[in-house]
């Protein structure tokens, strides 16, 4: 967003606070939550151009999964067993923290288990290997043959699956709202932050209405990271994801399902609505950038996928269609770093389509880093 000569001359309000968190998605909200826990006397303000959860955090499927959606075997091949296990444990710790803090918060948090279903024989082999690798590493996992996968997911046409007992689901908007509420921070919406400037004691956060002088700053703007901090544009890529929700159908599916190497995901809500998303791999060129829009071709692919694998959805009608912008990194790991040229300013982002499964704990990691407290081992994976 640019500002005209007339707009930028407008008198701005100047405020002094201890910490400004830019971004009221799950990453920013969680950082504010942990700042309050670690340093209760600090005055924290969360600013966002939208309401909390107005970005990806309010537009996702609400899966709280372990590891990546592809497979543990792929993570082991890319990262090695030690780092892949560290990453797995990070998502597990995130999930456990969400349960320990919000189990009774009315956010539809449910321990359902999860299934990654194989869309091809090769994927089935990889999932079988993942089950073995996880068991060898002492992390419970069960390989499902094709018939067992069909049974577990009320589906047909998959070649096998991986069942993880600790998989869970949540209402993502309610989760972010609950985190914001417990963060106890002032939340200022409708503010577009356009620049960060150094001062001798911290940083100035420039927005279209208010200018904040803060001793500490956290930037958690996800896919917009490269717009606010151009140095990050080669690290964080904006990638669009689309979903739809059907009208209610009789309940059949009790677990969240990822399939086709994470390119499709499905769950059914207790209200009967079926949520399905993905199909991005069929429209790679179109599904990049910041535009919030759905396309007919991709939405048809989502319906086709439902009809192919979930016969009980064959004649579904669609209630809502939407899109959201994710932030991808080359190695699919989120990143945390200090902002060059600014003391006591940290950025976080790049959850690569899995922020719900990592960001609550990541908020604690970021708060620790900002306050120079303890260092979580996962920082060795995330810090740039
Ligand atoms: C369709 C879809 C399905 C997904 N499904 C899942 C899933 O099931 N499980 C899972 O783990 N993950 C899923 N994800 C990914 C997950 O939603 C994201 O990884 C996560 O929400 C990222 O959180 P965030 O706080 O980093 O970003 P966001 O939620 O995008 O928050 C960033 C905030 O920054 C604000 N902002 C940006 N620029 C500025 C600025 N200049 N000034 C002020 N404010 C600004 C935005 O308004 C926004 O509110 C999905 C994503 C999508 C889009």
């Amino acid at each position: 967003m640019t500002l005209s000569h007339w707009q930028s001359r407008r008198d701005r309000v100047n405020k002094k606070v201890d910490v400004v968190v830019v971004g009221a998605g799950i990453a920013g909200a969680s950082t504010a939550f942990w700042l309050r826990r670690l340093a209760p006397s600090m005055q924290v303000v969360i600013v966002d151009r939208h309401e909390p959860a107005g970005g990806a955090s309010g537009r996702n499927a609400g899966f709280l999964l372990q590891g990546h959606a592809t497979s543990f075997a792929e993570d082991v091949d890319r990262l090695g067993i030690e780092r892949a296990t560290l990453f797995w444990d990070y998502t597990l710790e995130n999930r456990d923290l969400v349960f320990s803090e919000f189990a009774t918060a009315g956010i539809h948090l449910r321990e359902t288990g999860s299934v990654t279903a194989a869309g091809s024989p090769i994927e089935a082999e990889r999932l079988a290997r993942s089950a073995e690798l996880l068991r060898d590493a002492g992390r419970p996992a069960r390989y499902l043959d094709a018939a067992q996968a069909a049974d577990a997911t009320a589906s047909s046409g998959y070649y096998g699956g991986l069942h993880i007992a600790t998989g869970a689901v949540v209402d993502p908007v309610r989760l972010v709202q609950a985190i914001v509420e417990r963060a106890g921070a002032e939340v200022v919406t409708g503010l577009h932050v356009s620049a960060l400037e150094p001062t001798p004691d911290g940083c100035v956060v420039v927005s279209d209405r208010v200018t904040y002088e803060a001793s500490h700053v956290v930037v958690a703007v996800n896919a917009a990271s490269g717009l606010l901090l151009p140095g990050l544009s080669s690290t964080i890529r904006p990638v669009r994801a689309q979903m739809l929700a059907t009208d209610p159908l009789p309940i059949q599916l009790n677990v969240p399902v990822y399939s086709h190497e994470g390119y499709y995901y499905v769950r059914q809500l207790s209200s009967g609505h079926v949520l399905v998303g993905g199909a991005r791999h069929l429209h790679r060129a179109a599904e990049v950038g910041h535009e919030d829009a759905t396309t007919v071709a991709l939405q048809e692919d989502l319906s086709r996928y439902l009809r192919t694998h979930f016969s009980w959805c064959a004649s579904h009608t669609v209630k809502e269609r939407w899109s959201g912008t994710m932030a991808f990194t080359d190695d699919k790991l989120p990143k945390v770093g200090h902002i060059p040229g600014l003391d006591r300013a940290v950025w976080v982002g790049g959850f690569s389509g899995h922020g719900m499964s990592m960001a609550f704990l990541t908020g604690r990691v970021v708060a620790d880093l900002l306050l120079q407290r303890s260092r979580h081992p996962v920082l060795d994976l995330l810090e740039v």
Side-chain angles (χ1 to χ4, degrees):
M1 193 177 120
T2 60
L3 288 181
S4 75
H5 172 73
W6 322 109
Q7 291 164 334
S8 57
R9 146 191 95 175
R10 220 165 34 175
D11 288 340
R12 291 218 182 83
V13 182
N14 287 299
K15 292 192 175 174
K16 236 180 165 159
V17 294
D18 294 321
V19 189
V20 173
V21 177
V22 187
I26 188 161
S30 300
T31 305
F33 175 99
W34 290 108
L35 283 169
R36 181 188 173 107
R37 187 67 63 87
L38 295 167
S41 62
M42 274 187 144
Q43 191 198 355
V44 180
V45 177
I46 307 175
V47 301
D48 200 298
R49 55 191 180 188
H50 301 305
E51 293 296 310
S57 299
R59 294 158 181 268
N60 61 70
F63 289 19
L64 288 184
L65 298 186
Q66 281 72 70
H68 276 121
T70 37
S71 70
F72 186 67
E74 197 207 83
D75 283 351
V76 171
D77 291 344
R78 277 185 320 119
L79 305 170
I81 184 72
E82 225 169 86
R83 285 159 66 85
T85 309
L86 176 61
F87 181 71
W88 183 272
D89 290 348
Y90 156 57
T91 52
L92 191 58
E93 188 181 349
N94 179 81
R95 169 231 183 261
D96 290 348
L97 264 187
V98 171
F99 270 92
S100 69
E101 295 289 342
F102 298 105
T104 57
I107 58 172
H108 299 168
L109 182 61
R110 284 191 297 133
E111 189 164 30
T112 48
S114 66
V115 172
T116 308
S120 70
I122 291 178
E123 192 179 1
E125 267 171 40
R126 212 176 297 134
L127 293 176
R129 199 175 136 235
S130 296
E132 265 171 42
L133 285 163
L134 280 165
R135 274 198 307 267
D136 290 351
R139 274 68 181 170
R142 191 160 62 95
Y143 180 70
L144 309 173
D145 63 24
Q148 290 169 326
D151 248 22
T153 59
S155 69
S156 59
Y158 294 125
Y159 293 82
L162 182 68
H163 180 264
I164 302 296
T166 45
V169 290
V170 71
D171 175 327
V173 170
R174 290 201 180 170
L175 172 60
V176 174
Q177 286 170 343
I179 297 172
V180 167
E181 202 174 298
R182 297 262 297 277
E186 183 188 353
V187 180
V188 184
T189 57
L191 275 197
H192 182 97
V193 173
S194 54
L196 306 172
E197 291 160 6
T199 65
D201 305 318
C203 181
V204 167
V205 178
V206 183
S207 80
D208 44 351
R209 280 190 284 118
V210 186
T211 298
Y212 291 97
E213 248 181 73
S215 49
H216 298 77
V217 173
V218 176
V219 172
V221 297
N222 191 34
S225 301
L227 298 176
L228 182 55
L229 302 169
L232 294 182
S233 53
S234 56
T235 310
I236 305 275
R237 283 178 285 115
V239 173
R240 186 168 64 190
Q242 298 189 35
M243 291 189 68
L244 65 78
T246 69
D247 284 314
L249 291 161
I251 300 289
Q252 301 264 356
L253 179 60
N254 298 312
V255 284
V257 180
Y258 260 117
S259 80
H260 296 77
E261 317 203 342
Y263 281 114
Y264 287 106
Y265 37 98
V266 188
R267 65 179 278 205
Q268 187 171 26
L269 306 181
S270 53
S271 56
H273 299 285
V274 175
L275 310 187
V276 57
R280 190 167 53 79
H281 57 310
L282 306 176
H283 305 270
R284 280 186 201 279
E287 298 305 302
V288 293
H290 296 275
E291 192 190 6
D292 175 13
T294 60
T295 59
V296 174
L298 189 146
Q299 291 282 323
E300 276 176 3
D301 284 332
L302 294 180
S303 280
R304 187 172 306 117
Y305 172 79
L306 276 188
R307 286 194 296 269
T308 303
H309 290 286
F310 300 87
S311 56
W312 47 279
C313 294
S315 51
H316 68 271
T317 48
V318 175
K319 180 168 181 278
E320 286 122 358
R321 303 179 191 278
W322 68 94
S323 80
T325 313
M326 306 180 292
F328 268 64
T329 62
D330 285 346
D331 63 5
K332 296 194 229 158
L333 293 173
K335 306 285 172 220
V336 174
H338 287 279
I339 301 176
L342 295 173
D343 287 342
R344 289 175 284 174
V346 171
W347 69 275
V348 54
F351 291 96
S352 304
H354 298 283
M356 304 313 288
S357 311
M358 305 166 201
F360 187 54
L361 171 58
T362 311
R364 196 177 82 195
V365 171
V366 173
D368 276 335
L369 188 68
L370 197 71
L371 301 174
Q372 298 179 314
R373 301 274 174 98
S374 60
R375 188 182 162 88
H376 193 285
V378 80
L379 211 45
D380 291 344
L381 274 187
L382 312 187
E383 196 170 21
V384 290

